[in-house]
Structure formats: C-alpha cells, structure tokens
Amino acid sequence: MNDGNGAALRVALAYHQAWTGGRFDEAMTYVADDVVCDAPAGRIEGATAYREFMAPFAGMLIRAELLAAYGDEERAVIVYDTATTLVASGPAAECVAVRDGRIAYSRFIFDRLPFQAARSAARSAHSDVHSAHPSTGGQ
C-alpha cells in the first residue's frame, strides 16, 4: 500500500468525510450491499446490518480528526480519533477493501472499553438518582 491517491483511498476518504460530517445516508452510498465488516463486536454482514451497527455511533459523534490515510487501488487504511457524547477520545482504524467503487469489506478496529465504562457509569448514575427519589421507593 502506498500513500497515493488510489481508488480505494478516495472511496474510504469520501465515506469517512460523509459520516463524520453528519451525512450518514451519503456515507452509505459508498458501502456495498453485500459488505462484510469485522468489528470488535463480531462480524456484520450486509448494508442493512452495517447501517444498524454504525448509525448509533454516527449519531453521537461530536467531532472527528483524521490522523492518517493510506491506500491504493484495492485497499485503504484510515486512522482517526473521535469525540462523542460518551467519550472525549475514541480512536479507531479501518482497513477497507473496495470493489466497483464501494466498500466491500471493512476491518474496523477500536477499543470498546471506554465506551462500555461510560455507559456503565451513566447507568449507575441514573440508578442512583432513581433510588434516592421518593417516587421510586428510595428515601
């Protein structure tokens, strides 16, 4: 892979710029109907499942910073950091294979732990508020 301006790199960047720019429907136009994505949560198959996987994350995105992008005609790697409503920093990397101008395969790499910890803390805070409220049985 080189850092040139190959077709896969152009598609990966267009996809990234669309979803991080709040244009998720546009981003999905760069995803093949039969896309396969291997992510920390497991394998995701098909554009519908991929949309269901990515949409919640895209919806909580505050900002994204592209750190690096490399690619050629068939594969591209993008590395970026995100700030979301849950975490201030959520770095990720995607290695994509492009077929006929669309992402056919994605290996999505990110650390789930900060997101899980933030969700757990939010649930704990929520249950503490409810347990202390007289109408929920707390004192």
Side-chain angles (χ1 to χ4, degrees):
M1 227 180 287
N2 63 44
D3 61 351
N5 197 23
L9 180 58
R10 287 190 303 272
V11 169
L13 287 172
Y15 165 78
H16 177 78
Q17 290 164 356
W19 83 260
T20 61
R23 302 180 316 276
F24 191 69
D25 287 337
E26 178 186 331
M28 288 301 298
T29 67
Y30 296 101
V31 176
D33 293 339
D34 60 347
V35 66
V36 174
C37 175
D38 286 319
R43 180 162 273 199
I44 298 142
E45 297 185 43
T48 299
Y50 187 81
R51 176 184 286 277
E52 291 169 0
F53 165 70
M54 281 297 295
F57 184 76
M60 72 172 127
L61 185 68
I62 295 170
R63 69 168 178 76
E65 176 186 4
L66 184 64
L67 302 174
Y70 302 93
D72 57 26
E73 293 301 313
E74 297 175 359
R75 292 190 180 275
V77 174
I78 57 172
V79 180
Y80 52 92
D81 193 12
T82 59
T84 70
T85 57
L86 288 178
V87 300
S89 176
E94 293 180 63
C95 178
V96 301
V98 172
R99 181 185 71 235
D100 299 327
R102 297 172 82 192
I103 297 169
Y105 176 79
S106 175
R107 179 69 168 114
F108 196 7
I109 303 164
F110 63 93
D111 185 0
R112 294 174 62 184
L113 188 58
F115 293 94
Q116 290 170 331
R119 285 184 179 108
S120 179
R123 280 192 298 273
S124 179
H126 182 72
S127 69
D128 289 346
V129 167
H130 283 294
S131 66
H133 193 279
S135 68
T136 61
Q139 300 300 326

